[in-house]
Amino acid sequence: MSGFRPSTVELDDGARLCVQTIGDPTDPALLLIGGATWSMDWWEDELCRRIAERGRMVIRYDARDTGRSTSYPAGAPGYRASDLTTDVVAVLDHLGIAQAHVAGLSMGGGIAQSLALEHRSRVASLTLIATSPIDPEIRGLPSPTAQVSSSASAGAREPDWTDRDAAIDAIVEGERPYAGPGNFDESQVRATAARVVDRTNDIAASMTNHFLVSDEEPSDDEPDDAASSDDGPADLSLGRLRGLPTLVLHGTADPLFPPAHGKALAEAIPGARLVELTDMGHQLPPRDTWELVVDLIIQHTAP
């Protein structure tokens, strides 16, 4: 199996996305969509290799404002939330892939749901990890735990993102409260954080802008009628995904989206399968789950 193959996607608005693939290009494609602030680095190399060795071509990419992809001024993302969905289509088009299996984590799981609703023909299956339903009719789900809420409040003071060590420390400490009990591997998170900081064009923008995007006008001035072609709000009813193979992986100790979110998501998509991972938090599945997780993904994406 060859190593990671890099390429660059040129988007219609002038932005660029950095993409990598690993595995045999003739194998079924599995596209990975990361959470907020995530560059491709968070999808660990070894996990990607394990999946590729089992007969899937793995695709990972830097979303806007992460890694080597186009960044915007911190606090002023020049794109809409919907662009993060159409960017996935552009990645597939760039690679010449008509249809891919799609896995998304956290915000990436929301993007994956949007992709399946808006571009159903491009999605062969969904794997939704540590995420929550985007269907606005699903209400009453539990709020984040007190641990996460207090951590967010305590983190109001921004680090000096221009200081490499301070930036790495901030990312590590930012991840800590989201991990499940016994599942915070500080050395691995620190190594990933260092790689993220070293690869990212603007770490301050990366750690800020995804939390600010919406489908309102982006920060850079555009004509008032830039999005006026929309006929109205999108239909986000997850029941429309009936027949699309869907696997929901959710941690029993997820502090941001407690387990009821995963259950509601699986119930909302007819035929979806829910697998709860014991003591996993709001994080990439821990290493001691990889054998199971890879098996589940390979079975779920089998031709």
Side-chain angles (χ1 to χ4, degrees), residues 147-294:
Q147 178 185 8
V148 165
S149 298
S150 62
S151 173
S153 299
R157 186 168 54 192
E158 286 284 304
D160 178 0
W161 293 112
T162 65
D163 181 326
R164 180 179 184 272
D165 290 341
I168 292 170
D169 287 344
I171 292 171
V172 172
E173 293 311 310
E175 292 294 317
R176 191 185 299 275
Y178 291 90
N183 281 317
F184 185 71
D185 184 341
E186 181 166 350
S187 62
Q188 179 59 46
V189 173
R190 187 167 295 277
T192 300
R195 184 175 174 184
V196 167
V197 170
D198 291 342
R199 283 192 65 252
T200 299
N201 292 326
D202 183 341
I203 195 65
S206 183
M207 299 303 294
T208 303
N209 285 350
H210 283 174
F211 300 109
L212 302 177
V213 293
S214 69
D215 278 323
E216 308 260 330
E217 289 294 319
S219 306
D220 54 345
D221 294 335
E222 289 190 7
D224 290 341
D225 62 350
S228 61
S229 60
D230 290 345
D231 294 326
D235 181 359
L236 300 180
S237 171
L238 292 175
R240 293 171 51 213
L241 298 182
R242 178 184 299 275
L244 180 63
T246 301
L247 172 65
V248 177
L249 301 178
H250 210 93
T252 63
D254 190 322
L256 183 66
F257 296 137
H261 289 252
K263 292 175 183 176
L265 181 56
E267 290 171 359
I269 301 175
R273 178 188 180 189
L274 170 66
V275 176
E276 292 188 314
L277 299 174
T278 303
D279 287 341
M280 184 178 98
H282 193 74
Q283 61 190 131
L284 185 75
R287 284 177 175 254
D288 63 4
T289 70
W290 283 4
E291 184 175 356
L292 171 62
V293 167
V294 172

